[in-house]
Amino acid sequence: MTAAVFEAINRQIAAEFGASFSYLAMAAWCEHHQFMGAGKWLRLQSAEEHLHGMKLFNFVLARNQQARLAALEQPKSEFASIVDVFERALEQEQGVSKQIDALYELAFKEKVFAAMAELQWFITEQVEEEKSVREIVAKFQMVKNDPASLLDVDRELGSRPAGAEPAAG
Ligand SMILES: [Fe+2]
Ligand SMILES: [Fe+2]
């Protein structure tokens, strides 16, 4: 692994743990506002992001380097509405997709083939995650402020099984 790729993967580890922290803050907002299903979905997503961070952490160690952990930014914890929560989540995922693409491009330029293989998984995962969150945003935008429909979407989100890929609900 080259120094540049090593540094970039360490930054990505922090970004994944940052995403985990951010989803947990979103879960707190939702549950505090009685959207318990969305809260459950976001807690599970937070746990997934933790696993993403660990996957890269383990990869760095397997490549005989000492993974370096960075400070995390304080996550956003105030939101205007439930749809705002998921719009921010979508922005976050789109940002991560760009970071992963840039990381893959760097690994390609530096000819770090093991990192390219590892990052393939993340590229595929980002397509799935963006799709799931985009579908949730669309649902919340559709129902607007209709309380009964909001509760339906919330209940659907609460049916996300633990440990599975994110269901769009
Ligand atoms: Fe992730
Ligand atoms: Fe993600």
Side-chain angles (χ1 to χ4, degrees):
M1 184 162 1
T2 66
V5 170
F6 175 61
E7 284 307 314
I9 293 180
N10 278 327
R11 276 199 301 277
Q12 192 59 38
I13 291 172
E16 298 293 342
F17 286 126
S20 174
F21 217 31
S22 172
Y23 276 122
L24 197 57
M26 291 173 181
W29 187 94
C30 287
E31 293 188 16
H32 185 62
H33 290 83
Q34 307 307 322
F35 291 107
M36 303 310 280
K40 183 189 166 191
W41 193 98
L42 290 159
R43 280 172 185 254
L44 289 171
Q45 193 57 35
S46 173
E48 271 218 10
E49 300 296 350
H50 178 82
L51 288 177
H52 296 170
M54 289 309 295
K55 192 166 160 46
L56 289 173
F57 179 82
N58 291 336
F59 173 73
V60 169
L61 286 164
R63 299 309 293 157
N64 201 28
Q65 301 277 351
Q66 185 184 342
R68 305 283 181 187
L69 298 177
L72 303 184
E73 260 179 55
Q74 185 172 8
K76 181 176 166 63
S77 60
E78 284 308 321
F79 301 92
S81 60
I82 184 80
V83 67
D84 184 39
V85 170
F86 283 91
E87 282 170 350
R88 298 291 81 76
L90 181 57
E91 273 176 12
Q92 179 173 295
E93 289 302 336
Q94 288 165 337
V96 170
S97 296
K98 285 203 182 103
Q99 287 165 0
I100 297 284
D101 285 352
L103 187 48
Y104 189 84
E105 188 182 9
L106 179 69
F108 174 77
K109 280 185 181 149
E110 303 252 330
K111 298 187 166 62
V112 183
F113 300 113
M116 288 170 68
E118 178 71 18
L119 291 168
Q120 289 267 350
W121 183 90
F122 283 87
I123 291 173
T124 308
E125 177 71 9
Q126 281 312 117
V127 172
E128 206 42 57
E129 295 210 337
E130 274 191 43
K131 176 176 182 284
S132 302
V133 180
R134 195 179 301 116
E135 285 171 12
I136 296 169
V137 168
K139 279 185 188 176
F140 277 122
Q141 284 174 346
M142 246 180 281
V143 305
K144 297 220 161 54
N145 291 321
D146 176 52
S149 306
L150 278 174
L151 285 178
D152 276 348
V153 178
D154 186 59
R155 194 177 305 114
E156 235 178 298
L157 289 174
S159 70
R160 174 175 174 176
E165 288 302 302

